Amino acid sequence: MTFSWTPHRFAGGALALDVANSVVLRADPARRIDRFADPAVMDSFPAGANRHGAERDLFGALEPVGAHARAGLISLRESIDRHFRAEILGIATPPLLADLLDSISATLRRSGMRPQALDTATARSALLLVARPEPERLKICPNCHWLFLDRSRNRSRAWCDMAVCGNRAKANRHYHRTREEPRS
């Protein structure tokens, strides 16, 4: 099966969130898909982010991580997800923030002078999210449970991607509503 990084896969609004969202159905162990489990898919992520990512102009043309840095990127991804998911749910703790900052620090030390490497840019994106002035803009999609940054003017965005998750939710509501209505 071939996989491509489509615009929907970059609905997080920040590189760090898009990397965290590379795990599909994270909360369902039976159906969970880790897109970065395949090194070729991980290597193709920067090209997708260069085309579709919200922060594509912020970090320059992203490059894949070297084989030696893959485990570090996965560790950073998991720290990003744990911290920001807990923050959104209102259960963030100082140790989760410390773990994230440790992962960011380790990534930046390891990456050296490769500012366009995916791990380096992801660490920098996570730092920007930690320092953002409006934490209420971070949300979890009620359909797919991906993390996303609500950049709408009135902070009313409900879905990571209206064209995918919003439409699925609307179709699901319509299906259940029509099944409950009596037929004449």
Side-chain angles (χ1 to χ4, degrees):
M1 176 182 156
T2 55
F3 176 79
S4 63
W5 293 105
T6 61
H8 166 68
R9 309 267 179 205
F10 296 91
L15 179 62
L17 301 180
D18 293 333
V19 167
N21 293 339
S22 67
V23 177
V24 181
L25 300 170
R26 185 180 282 277
D28 185 349
R31 299 181 346 175
R32 176 184 166 116
I33 301 168
D34 181 353
R35 297 291 182 199
F36 285 0
D38 180 347
V41 175
M42 182 190 284
D43 288 346
S44 68
F45 183 91
N50 289 335
R51 280 191 307 278
H52 309 298
E55 295 179 331
R56 63 185 169 270
D57 296 331
L58 193 58
F59 301 115
L62 298 177
E63 302 168 358
V65 296
H68 67 283
R70 291 183 197 283
L73 177 60
I74 298 298
S75 177
L76 175 62
R77 176 189 71 183
E78 296 308 304
S79 294
I80 289 167
D81 186 80
R82 279 191 305 272
H83 170 73
F84 290 113
R85 192 169 298 277
E87 189 173 296
I88 294 164
L89 295 172
I91 56 173
T93 63
L96 282 175
L97 176 58
D99 289 346
L100 174 59
L101 294 174
D102 286 345
S103 289
I104 290 169
S105 177
T107 298
L108 294 175
R109 281 190 181 91
R110 183 178 50 252
S111 65
M113 299 303 292
R114 294 197 57 220
Q116 273 71 40
L118 178 59
D119 56 348
T120 305
T122 300
R124 292 172 58 207
S125 175
L127 277 174
L128 291 172
L129 287 173
V130 167
R132 79 198 169 294
E134 300 173 287
E136 68 277 0
R137 289 197 181 266
L138 266 176
K139 296 183 178 180
I140 299 172
C141 179
N143 184 55
C144 67
H145 305 285
W146 277 2
L147 304 173
F148 71 94
L149 188 58
D150 179 358
R151 294 182 186 223
S152 66
R153 184 176 296 189
N154 63 358
R155 299 175 182 90
S156 64
R157 185 172 155 195
W159 315 101
C160 68
D161 185 346
M162 186 61 200
V164 177
C165 288
N167 284 344
R168 285 180 186 160
K170 287 179 179 183
N172 191 29
R173 278 194 310 266
H174 175 73
Y175 171 80
H176 288 295
R177 191 172 47 245
T178 57
R179 289 199 32 106
E180 294 171 1
E181 292 176 2
R183 302 217 170 191
S184 35

